[in-house]
Each structure stands twice: as structure tokens, then as C-alpha cells.
């Protein structure tokens, strides 16, 4: 009649297993019919590439406005909040001076003007991105077209990618960004607190057949194209002119090239 | 066996209540962080890891250090450690749990933590760290619980635990190696980008961990009738391990200094210059670093000479010096200084906020509570047998 | 039974606590959610186009799986067009496809008014069902109302 503890636990365990098993059996059977005949495809207008890259022609960036216009176009489109402090700051494309952007080993006689001349910096969309390797959930990943993208839905906010990125291209949402967005752009979602974000080479615009927002507003200062295509303008510049990249010695193969002192394009 | 933790003296309950109060405060602080985001911490775009990840790093070492008892006892049949091994394993369990908690409180989206398992990423060191930590927790739970249970019944531990015990030895090494790999494989942080990181981590772990364990043994002796070192000599053997590990740790650190400063490559020494002398007028960490240097050498000296090493009054202070030196090095400086200077060679300093410190204390409170409960169980079983 | 009285008494209290919600709501009117499928945006469409991306039955039962599939396709595979079982194409976008139809002027106004949760700020489409079922999807902590919202 009476049962001992061991028997009780065994029976309770079996009942629990039965319950879970039954639940799975029920839900498992009903899932299937989600849109069987459906397919996914690209937009017809979409511009395609296998290795998106950017050339920053520094000769085209002369005034303060040249920089601000580009940053503003990007930040407004992507709902990048403005926290007005460096601690919580979020930025996708911004300017920094030469000797900080291209850190390490400058000749000490370099003209002050050059040392402090501003450069446009953004995510380099590296060919061997350390951030992608670091991410424990594949929330940041490399697309087939070379763009290093973020899946904000999946990011757990561990910030391993921020530690891994040698270019300081990544920002973290330390606070809810919504109250700090002046004018919400309906073209792109905002982010939630606790995820990392960065430049995405405007893949949402490329999918619609448009150029990245910064390129559009740069008056030719930013040149965007497919590095794998020998006829693309970026490829011509990169192969024939003298360009520099940030920290190439780390082997990440940055895809943002800086054309310094070249006025005419190839 | 857990029921043993439910009976105790007034002092025992007072201590438990104190810990619960600390945990409650920490939990409240965490709720604030959970609702308002990590902005309530001192972390920034430039120093994106802080106190939490540093504590995680330090505690992985404490967890791994149980191997310094397991290895001599089970592999070399060093009988003197017989009574102490269980205390080592029961220190490892709370240490691993604290590690996991520090990871969780550091996440921006803690509710999504299962994504790490849903989307396993074998290229990420973080994925392996999760695997080895969970594995190590399970190993120690199984081994500690079965050996103590067997001891209570007066039987030898079942044969199937032996292979698991042997497995725990390389596993302990692996948890700290993988933790070092988290940092040592990242391009762009020269303080971390060093092949000796894992070795240095293990050396500092085998100094700080056993030092904490000895202090715990001394406390156990004070508050209970159970003597973890009945024959004498077990504690002194462990002290020698602490000493050599600490010397190795300091030696490895000096190797880092040599490479960085003699090669004269500015990037290699920038972080080190920041922690020893300050950089661009920023010197928050300098007093801490020199304190750590002083304590490390003082601790080593006190443990080298037999007169001081065997002096029951001095020994706790020597061990405390070692623990604090290691904590400053790993639990405070190493992680933060790795971000200084940042990717743009600018110095941005980090100071933890009160909220962050309270959360940290809360997690340590949980760890201490677990240590107390587990040690209470172990002590009660021993006392029961001795009487 | 050892300490039988106490055990049974505790069990009764436990079951009592567990069933409080049922007793609390007993006899109250249970109005189901009102699903508003005739927003101005939908009514403005030609009758043939008024069906959602899939049939109402499929959408009712599977919209969450479909949204998850859309998310994977658009974010991770860069496939921004969905071709449904009838061969019709839709742009994959919660903001610009779903919410374009499933929102009203009042909701759009609430977006421009700085409301961070358009669908949940009202008793309209998503909210009506989800509130009723006490399901809180997190979509709108990031996604914003339709294109017109910004005007």
C-alpha cells in the first residue's frame, strides 16, 4: 500500500516526462503548415556584390560641414541617439584626427596641420572580422556580400565584439536610446537598451537599389562599390592609387580605404 | 545531507542573516540595472568591460585552484590533504556559480542568455568558456557530494567517481586557460595579446585560490570542532604551493614587463605605463598597482622564511597580502587597463559606480552564503563522525 | 500518515492560493478581443488585395512563426522580398508592410507624439489580442509605426 521515497520519485518523474512528451507531440504536429508554397527572394532593384568596400577621398572633405553632413545623414536615417556625453555615446560614422585614427609610429616632424587633420571613420567591414569570431550567438555575422552585419534580435549584450574590434567601431546601448532620438526615422528601427550596434553599410538601402546614405551625401568624398569587380570605381582607385587603411598589420583586411592627396579618380 | 545546514548556533544564523541582507541590497541594485540598462555602471564605449568581468576572471582562478588539493591527494596519494580536499571542492562550486552570475549581471540582455545554447558558435571562445564552466560545476558537485556522502556512511566513495575525479584535474586547468584565451586572442589590446596570459592566469590562480582556502581552514578551525589539518603539515604544504605559485606569477609578470619595455614598441608598453606611472595625465590605477607590487613582494618574503611562514599570527596576514595583490592585479587592473589606451590611443578612465559595487557585493554575498552552507554540511558530517 | 493533518491542511491552502485567479474572475463578463481588420489603409485597397500576406487562418495561427521566418530571411540572409503561396510579393518589413495596414490614424498620431509603443499604446490591432492573452511581444521597443508616421 504505502510507497517509499524512491518509488514516489520514480513515479513522479515518469508522469512529468509523460506530460512534457505529450506537450511536444501536440505542438510538434501543428506547426508545419506555415506558408508551404512561400519563397523568399531579393528585390529586383537590389544592387549585388561579393565584396562591398568604400574609398574615403580625403581631398573632398574640406570643411566642417562636409563631415557633419555625412554623419548626420547616417545617424538620422538609422535612428542613432545623441547622448551628448562620451560615456554612453553611440556612433556609426564620425570624424577623428589623423594621428588618432592611424595610431602608431608617426614621424615627430610631421606638420601639426596634418597630425590634426580630420578623417572619416566607420566600421571597416573587415574580411576577417574579429568581432564575428568573438560573438557567442552569431548575432554579428558576415554576409555573403562582405558586409559585417548585426542581428539586434539575437544580441545578448556581452560586449565581447567591442573588446574584439581593434577599430573602436562598435557602440553599446547603455541606456534606452528612444528618448535621445530627436526625430524618429521610420525607415529603420531603433534599438533596445543592452545591444551593440555599428555601421551596416546601409544594407537596407542596397536591397532597394540605393547607395549608402553617407555616400549619397558626401559629394563624391565617399566612393562605394564592389572590390571583386575589376571595373568598379573603388577597385580602380585601390589598385592604381596610393591608399592607406587603419591598422592593416592586424590582418583583419579592412575594406575602408583612405585616398590621401589624390584629387582625380581613376 | 543539506538538512545539516538548517541547524546551527545563533552566530551561524546571524551570519546567514547578514549575508542575506547583503544579497538583498545587491539584488535591489541589480533590479535598478536591469530596468535602466548598463548605463548605471561606470562602463563606457571605451572601457566596455569593468568590475563584473574582472571578478569573473579572478573567481575562475579561485575555482580552478581546487586542483591544487585534488592532484596531490588523488594522483600522488598525499594523505595529509585527505580532510581538506572536500573544502577545496566546496570552494570551487560557489566560485564557479559566482563566475556565472558575474557573466549574467554583465549582460545587456540577460533574458536572451539561452541564445548562446540555441545558436552555438564554435568559433567563439565565449562558447567554450560556457561549456567548461558548466562542466566544471557539474564535476565538482558530483565529486564533492558523493565523496562526502560516502564518508558519512563510512564507506569508500563508489568506483565510478574515480575517473571523474581524474577528469577534474585537466578540466580545472582548462577553465582558466579558456578564460585567458578570451582576452589573449583579441587583436588590438596589447596588454592581453600575450602567449603567457594563460600561464600567468594559472600561476596567480594557484597562489590566490589556495591562500583563500587556507584562510577558510583557519576559520573552520576557530568556529567548529572539525580540524581540517589533524596531523599537521597539510596547511604548511599548501603554503608552499602558494609561495611557489606566487613567485611564478610575479616572474611571468616580469617577463611581460621586459618584452614590453626593452623592445620599446610604444603600443606594447602603453597599458603598462598607464598602470605603473599614469598616461597622458590619467593615473587612477597607479596607487593600486604599486600597492599590489608591495603586497606581492611582502607576501612572498613572509612565506619564504620559515620563522614567519610557520608563525600562526603572521601567516594569515602573509596570505591576505597574496590574495589582495592577486585581486588587485586580476580583479581590478588587468581587464580595465586592457582598454587603456583605447583603439584611438586615447586614455578614457573607468571608475565603478556605487550601483555596480553593490551588485558585485551581492554576488559575493551569494557566493559566501553558498560557501557557508556547503562548509556547514561538510563540517557537520565530520563532527558527527568524530563524536 | 505522519503529520497527516498538517500536510493535508497545507495542501488545501496551497491549492487555494493557486486557484485564486479563477475564483476572482468567476462570473465576470468575458469579452473576447475585438480584432479590427478594417483600418482605412485596408479599406482603401482593391477588394482582391485585401487579404493579408497569407490567408486569415494561416495568419491567425502562424503569424509569429512567419514573423520569425521573415526576420531570419531579411536580417540574416538579406532576402527582403516574400512571395506568398499565391505568388504575390511583399516587402519584408514589419514597419513598412505589416503596420502600414494594421494601424489607424490615431495610432500614427501617437507615434509622432513620442509614444514608444504604437500598437500597445492603443486597443488596436496587435494589442487587442495580445493584451487579452497577456502576451507581451517586444517588437515595438525597436520597430516604429508605418511610413506615414513620421509626417
Amino acid at each position: 500500500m504505502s510507497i517509499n521515497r524512491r518509488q514516489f520519485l520514480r513515479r513522479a518523474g515518469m508522469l512529468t516526462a509523460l506530460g512534457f512528451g505529450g506537450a511536444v507531440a501536440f505542438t510538434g504536429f501543428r506547426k508545419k503548415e506555415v506558408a508551404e508554397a512561400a519563397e523568399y527572394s531579393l528585390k529586383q532593384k537590389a544592387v549585388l556584390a561579393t565584396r562591398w568596400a568604400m574609398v574615403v577621398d580625403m581631398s573632398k572633405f574640406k570643411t566642417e560641414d562636409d563631415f557633419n553632413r555625412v554623419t548626420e545623414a547616417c545617424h538620422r536615417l538609422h535612428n542613432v541617439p545623441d547622448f551628448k556625453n562620451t560615456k554612453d555615446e553611440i556612433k556609426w560614422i564620425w570624424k577623428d584626427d589623423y594621428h588618432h585614427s592611424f595610431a602608431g609610429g608617426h614621424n615627430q616632424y610631421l606638420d601639426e596641420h596634418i597630425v590634426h587633420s580630420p578623417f572619416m571613420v566607420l566600421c571597416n567591414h573587415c574580411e576577417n572580422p574579429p568581432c564575428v569570431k568573438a560573438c557567442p550567438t552569431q548575432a554579428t555575422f558576415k554576409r555573403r556580400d562582405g558586409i559585417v552585419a548585426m542581428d539586434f534580435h539575437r544580441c545578448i549584450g556581452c560586449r565581447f565584439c567591442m573588446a574584439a574590434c581593434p577599430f573602436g567601431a562598435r557602440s553599446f546601448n547603455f541606456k534606452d536610446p528612444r528618448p535621445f532620438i530627436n526625430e524618429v526615422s521610420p525607415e529603420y528601427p531603433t534599438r533596445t537598451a543592452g545591444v551593440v550596434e555599428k555601421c551596416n553599410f546601409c544594407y537596407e538601402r542596397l536591397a532597394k537599389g540605393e547607395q549608402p546614405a553617407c555616400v549619397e551625401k558626401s559629394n563624391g568624398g565617399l566612393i562605394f562599390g564592389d572590390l571583386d569587380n575589376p571595373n568598379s570605381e573603388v577597385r580602380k582607385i585601390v589598385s592604381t592609387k596610393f591608399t592607406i587603411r587603419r591598422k592593416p598589420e592586424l590582418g583583419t583586411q579592412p575594406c575602408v580605404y583612405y585616398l590621401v592627396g589624390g584629387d582625380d579618380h581613376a | 545531507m543539506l538538512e545539516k545546514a538548517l541547524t546551527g548556533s545563533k552566530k551561524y544564523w546571524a551570519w546567514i542573516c547578514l549575508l542575506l541582507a547583503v544579497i538583498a541590497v545587491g539584488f535591489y541594485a541589480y533590479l535598478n540595472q536591469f530596468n535602466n540598462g548598463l548605463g548605471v555602471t561606470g562602463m563606457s564605449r571605451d572601457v566596455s568591460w569593468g568590475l563584473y568581468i574582472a571578478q569573473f576572471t579572478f573567481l575562475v582562478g579561485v575555482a580552478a585552484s581546487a586542483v591544487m588539493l585534488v592532484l596531490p591527494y588523488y594522483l600522488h596519494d598525499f594523505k595529509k590533504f585527505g580532510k581538506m580536499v572536500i573544502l577545496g571542492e566546496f570552494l570551487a562550486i560557489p566560485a564557479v556559480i559566482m563566475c556565472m552570475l558575474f557573466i549574467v549581471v554583465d549582460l545587456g540582455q540577460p533574458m536572451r542568455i539561452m541564445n548562446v545554447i540555441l545558436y552555438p558558435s564554435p568559433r567563439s571562445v565565449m562558447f567554450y568558456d560556457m561549456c567548461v564552466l558548466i562542466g566544471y560545476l557539474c564535476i565538482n558537485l558530483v565529486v564533492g557530494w558523493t565523496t562526502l556522502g560516502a564518508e558519512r556512511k563510512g564507506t569508500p566513495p563508489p568506483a565510478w567517481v574515480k575517473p571523474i575525479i581524474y577528469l577534474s584535474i585537466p578540466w580545472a586547468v582548462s577553465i582558466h586557460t579558456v578564460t585567458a584565451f578570451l582576452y589573449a586572442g583579441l587583436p588590438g589590446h596589447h596588454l592581453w595579446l600575450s602567449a603567457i596570459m594563460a600561464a600567468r592566469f594559472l600561476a596567480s590562480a594557484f597562489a590566490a585560490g589556495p591562500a583563500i582556502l587556507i584562510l577558510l581552514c583557519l576559520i573552520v578551525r576557530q568556529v567548529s570542532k572539525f580540524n581540517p589539518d589533524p596531523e599537521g603539515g597539510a596547511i604548511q604544504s599548501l603554503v608552499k604551493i602558494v609561495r611557489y605559485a606566487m613567485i611564478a606569477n610575479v616572474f611571468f609578470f616580469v617577463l611581460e614587463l621586459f618584452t614590453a619595455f626593452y623592445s620599446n614598441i610604444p603600443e606594447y608598453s602603453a597599458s603598462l605605463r598607464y598602470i605603473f606611472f599614469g598616461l597622458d595625465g590619467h593615473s587612477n590605477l597607479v596607487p593600486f598597482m604599486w600597492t599590489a607590487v608591495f603586497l606581492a613582494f611582502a607576501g612572498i618574503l613572509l612565506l619564504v622564511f620559515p620563522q614567519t611562514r610557520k608563525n600562526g599570527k603572521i601567516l594569515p596576514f602573509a596570505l591576505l597580502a597574496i590574495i589582495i595583490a592577486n585581486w588587485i592585479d586580476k580583479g581590478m587592473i588587468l581587464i580595465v587597463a586592457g582598454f587603456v589606451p583605447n583603439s584611438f590611443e586615447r586614455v578614457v578612465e573607468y571608475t565603478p559606480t556605487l550601483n555596480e559595487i553593490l551588485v558585485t557585493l551581492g554576488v559575493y554575498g551569494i557566493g559566501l552564503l553558498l560557501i557557508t552552507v556547503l562548509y556547514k554540511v561538510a563540517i557537520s558530517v565530520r563532527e558527527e563522525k568524530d563524536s | 500518515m505522519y503529520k497527516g493533518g498538517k500536510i493535508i491542511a497545507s495542501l488545501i491552502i496551497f491549492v487555494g492560493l493557486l486557484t485564486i485567479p479563477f475564483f476572482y474572475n468567476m462570473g465576470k463578463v468575458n469579452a473576447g478581443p475585438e480584432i479590427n481588420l478594417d483600418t482605412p489603409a485596408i479599406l482603401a485597397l482593391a477588394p482582391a488585395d485585401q487579404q493579408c500576406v497569407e490567408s486569415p487562418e494561416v495568419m491567425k495561427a502562424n503569424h509569429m512563426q512567419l514573423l520569425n521566418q521573415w526576420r531570419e530571411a531579411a536580417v540574416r540572409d538579406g532576402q527582403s522580398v516574400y512571395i506568398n503561396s499565391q505568388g504575390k510579393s511583399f516587402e519584408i518589413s514589419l514597419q513598412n508592410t505589416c503596420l502600414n495596414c494594421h494601424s489607424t490614424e490615431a495610432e500614427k498620431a501617437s507615434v509622432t507624439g513620442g509614444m514608444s509603443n504604437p500598437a500597445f499604446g492603443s486597443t488596436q490591432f496587435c494589442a487587442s489580442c495580445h493584451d487579452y492573452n497577456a502576451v507581451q511581444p517586444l517588437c515595438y521597443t525597436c520597430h516604429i509605426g508605418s511610413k506615414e508616421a513620421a509626417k
Side-chain angles (χ1 to χ4, degrees):
Chain A
M1 151 81 215
S2 71
I3 56 171
N4 66 23
R5 192 170 70 161
R6 193 174 285 259
Q7 283 167 321
F8 172 75
L9 286 174
R10 187 172 295 154
R11 282 176 206 179
M14 275 156 67
L15 271 176
T16 318
L18 208 68
F20 278 128
V24 169
F26 273 112
T27 48
F29 282 130
R30 357 171 266 234
K31 245 185 195 168
K32 304 272 158 66
E33 90 250 39
V34 190
E36 301 122 358
E39 284 178 66
Y40 292 87
S41 83
L42 297 165
K43 251 209 178 114
Q44 279 176 346
K45 283 185 287 181
V47 274
L48 301 176
T50 49
R51 181 67 266 175
W52 285 120
M54 187 181 276
V55 171
V56 184
D57 181 352
M58 289 322 299
S59 65
K60 295 278 165 58
F61 286 91
K62 291 194 180 84
T63 62
E64 190 86 346
D65 181 58
D66 291 334
F67 290 96
N68 292 345
R69 207 176 46 239
V70 165
T71 303
E72 210 167 285
C74 167
H75 287 189
R76 182 177 296 176
L77 171 70
H78 295 115
N79 288 318
V80 176
D82 181 9
F83 283 104
K84 299 195 165 54
N85 70 56
T86 49
K87 185 178 164 294
D88 303 318
E89 189 179 29
I90 291 174
K91 42 193 181 184
W92 284 28
I93 179 167
W94 66 102
K95 72 167 198 259
D96 206 326
D97 49 17
Y98 170 73
H99 78 122
H100 284 114
S101 309
F102 297 84
H106 303 302
N107 91 52
Q108 52 183 311
Y109 305 105
L110 200 60
D111 186 68
E112 275 291 297
H113 179 70
I114 297 175
V115 167
H116 294 297
S117 61
F119 271 70
M120 206 84 237
V121 287
L122 66 157
C123 169
N124 279 296
H125 295 275
C126 305
E127 209 155 335
N128 309 310
C131 54
V132 169
K133 214 158 56 171
C135 181
T137 62
Q138 294 155 42
T140 191
F141 57 97
K142 210 175 115 189
R143 295 170 22 129
R144 277 185 294 264
D145 55 6
I147 293 177
V148 176
M150 284 273 323
D151 184 346
F152 303 120
H153 307 96
R154 198 183 277 188
C155 174
I156 59 171
C158 69
R159 307 189 296 298
F160 200 13
C161 55
M162 290 177 81
C165 175
F167 303 104
R170 292 177 160 267
S171 310
F172 181 72
N173 285 277
F174 283 98
K175 291 182 182 148
D176 179 14
R178 280 260 170 108
F180 299 92
I181 301 169
N182 297 329
E183 196 185 321
V184 175
S185 143
E187 301 286 325
Y188 198 80
T190 65
R191 265 70 62 197
T192 178
V195 299
V196 174
E197 64 181 85
K198 65 166 197 74
C199 157
N200 65 357
F201 262 179
C202 283
Y203 66 70
E204 79 282 2
R205 286 171 64 89
L206 296 173
K208 289 188 276 185
E210 296 166 328
Q211 288 277 295
C214 55
V215 174
E216 209 174 76
K217 285 277 153 53
S218 68
N219 292 345
L222 301 175
I223 304 123
F224 187 77
D226 186 0
L227 216 49
D228 281 346
N229 175 359
N231 297 318
S232 70
E233 201 182 353
V234 282
R235 173 70 176 268
K236 283 180 189 155
I237 296 172
V238 166
S239 54
T240 58
K241 305 270 171 163
F242 178 71
T243 53
I244 54 174
R245 289 185 289 175
R246 293 181 62 203
K247 303 186 185 178
E249 72 278 7
L250 297 179
T252 67
Q253 298 294 354
C255 286
V256 174
Y257 293 76
Y258 295 87
L259 179 63
V260 273
D263 230 15
D264 51 334
H265 294 157
Chain B
M1 286 192 289
L2 216 50
E3 73 278 2
K4 304 260 186 245
L6 295 176
T7 51
S9 62
K10 276 215 175 87
K11 270 187 192 161
Y12 171 72
W13 285 109
W15 170 242
I16 296 271
C17 288
L18 175 72
L19 288 178
L20 287 175
V22 172
I23 295 168
V25 172
F27 185 71
Y28 183 75
Y30 180 67
L31 281 184
N32 179 33
Q33 181 191 304
F34 186 83
N35 291 325
N36 296 311
L38 283 164
V40 301
T41 69
M43 288 182 273
S44 63
R45 194 183 190 282
D46 299 290
V47 184
S48 49
W49 279 338
L51 202 55
Y52 299 150
I53 292 296
Q55 301 319 302
F56 156 79
T57 313
F58 177 73
L59 288 168
V60 174
V62 174
S65 70
V67 76
M68 284 293 106
L69 291 170
V70 172
L71 190 141
Y73 180 63
Y74 286 104
L75 276 193
H76 300 286
D77 206 24
F78 189 73
K79 289 275 192 299
K80 280 181 187 165
F81 281 168
K83 300 269 172 199
M84 251 159 128
V85 170
I86 189 71
L87 298 184
E89 283 156 354
F90 278 1
L91 173 62
I93 294 168
V96 179
I97 291 175
M98 281 190 273
C99 289
M100 292 171 169
L101 286 175
F102 274 117
I103 294 281
V104 172
V105 298
D106 186 66
L107 292 182
Q109 286 285 340
M111 304 303 278
R112 298 182 186 167
I113 192 163
M114 290 312 278
N115 280 1
V116 181
I117 293 163
L118 284 172
Y119 309 103
S121 318
R123 292 212 313 158
S124 171
V125 186
M126 194 80 94
F127 171 72
Y128 291 99
D129 213 40
M130 180 203 66
C131 296
V132 290
L133 281 181
I134 291 175
Y136 194 65
L137 178 63
C138 296
I139 286 177
N140 275 288
L141 274 174
V142 168
V143 170
W145 214 249
T146 40
T147 49
L148 189 67
E151 196 182 314
R152 188 190 185 193
K153 287 188 209 125
T155 54
W160 56 265
V161 245
K162 262 289 163 65
I164 303 181
I165 292 172
Y166 293 140
L167 179 66
S168 82
I169 295 168
W171 205 288
V173 177
S174 83
I175 62 168
H176 219 21
T177 307
V178 174
T179 305
F181 285 176
L182 280 178
Y183 314 111
L186 302 180
H189 300 274
H190 290 282
L191 187 65
W192 300 341
L193 191 70
S194 157
I196 212 161
M197 273 284 269
R200 186 152 87 82
F201 268 29
L202 285 167
S204 80
F206 296 156
I212 292 173
L213 191 69
I214 296 170
L215 287 185
L216 287 174
C217 286
L218 296 178
I219 294 171
V220 165
R221 239 192 217 164
Q222 288 286 318
V223 299
S224 80
K225 290 196 272 304
F226 165 53
N227 184 1
D229 186 13
E231 301 152 53
I235 286 181
Q236 279 301 319
S237 306
L238 211 48
V239 166
K240 283 179 202 153
I241 293 177
V242 171
R243 181 183 66 192
Y244 285 121
M246 192 61 191
I247 291 172
N249 181 29
V250 170
F251 175 65
F252 291 158
F253 193 73
V254 171
L255 297 185
E256 295 269 29
L257 294 180
F258 172 79
T259 306
F261 286 108
Y262 193 81
S263 71
N264 204 19
I265 302 173
E267 289 93 4
Y268 277 65
S269 63
S271 297
L272 292 168
R273 277 181 281 136
Y274 168 64
I275 56 180
F276 279 106
F277 314 111
L279 201 63
D280 299 348
H282 297 279
S283 54
N284 273 358
L285 291 179
V286 172
F288 293 102
M289 192 62 215
W290 287 106
T291 309
V293 170
F294 170 76
L295 288 176
F297 281 105
I300 289 175
L301 278 180
L302 289 175
L303 294 186
V304 163
F305 297 107
Q307 298 95 310
T308 49
R309 170 160 58 87
K310 289 187 175 151
N311 183 324
K313 290 219 167 63
I314 295 177
L315 179 64
F317 290 101
L319 295 171
L320 216 53
I322 301 270
I323 295 167
I324 296 173
N326 272 307
W327 183 81
I328 293 177
D329 170 30
K330 248 162 132 184
M332 203 171 159
I333 287 178
L334 181 78
I335 303 305
V336 174
F339 290 103
V340 181
N342 69 8
S343 334
F344 289 87
E345 300 221 329
R346 282 200 181 84
V347 179
V348 177
E349 294 204 284
Y350 158 86
T351 324
T353 59
L354 178 66
N355 199 87
E356 203 173 356
I357 293 170
L358 290 179
V359 172
T360 305
L361 289 177
V363 175
Y364 272 112
I366 293 173
L368 278 177
L369 183 69
L370 288 170
I371 293 178
T372 309
V373 167
L374 288 173
Y375 274 37
K376 180 77 174 49
V377 170
I379 291 168
S380 303
V381 168
R382 291 282 159 76
E383 281 178 339
E384 190 180 76
K385 279 199 67 202
D386 290 345
S387 60
Chain C
M1 203 195 296
Y2 179 62
K3 284 188 181 169
K6 275 185 186 166
I7 291 175
I8 290 168
S10 326
L11 274 176
I12 290 172
I13 294 173
F14 176 71
V15 171
L17 281 174
L18 215 64
T19 50
I20 278 181
F22 297 101
F23 291 114
Y24 181 77
N25 285 316
M26 207 156 67
K28 286 188 185 161
V29 184
N30 187 354
E34 209 171 287
I35 306 169
N36 186 0
L37 280 177
D38 45 4
T39 62
I42 297 176
L43 292 176
L45 293 168
D49 292 333
Q50 280 187 358
Q51 192 200 294
C52 197
V53 291
E54 294 289 349
S55 71
E57 294 72 43
V58 172
M59 292 312 287
K60 262 183 211 160
N62 300 309
H63 63 279
M64 50 303 238
Q65 282 95 338
L66 187 72
L67 281 170
N68 276 350
Q69 286 179 8
W70 274 29
R71 177 174 83 189
E72 295 285 302
V75 177
R76 304 193 70 87
D77 305 331
Q79 310 270 312
S80 59
V81 174
Y82 174 76
I83 303 163
N84 75 1
S85 40
Q86 284 107 50
K88 228 176 129 196
S89 302
F90 294 90
E91 187 197 348
I92 293 183
S93 167
L94 179 69
Q95 281 173 210
N96 300 334
T97 305
C98 306
L99 293 183
N100 225 4
C101 285
H102 291 301
S103 60
T104 61
E105 289 308 313
E107 288 166 299
K108 286 166 191 165
S110 78
V111 176
T112 35
M115 180 86 87
S116 65
N117 230 352
F120 283 92
S122 71
T123 55
Q124 293 303 320
F125 193 68
C126 302
S128 54
C129 269
H130 282 129
D131 279 354
Y132 181 72
N133 288 310
V135 177
Q136 273 273 346
L138 297 169
C139 310
Y140 300 105
T141 50
C142 297
H143 291 276
I144 323 155
S146 60
K147 249 178 199 161
E148 286 82 354
K151 277 180 195 163

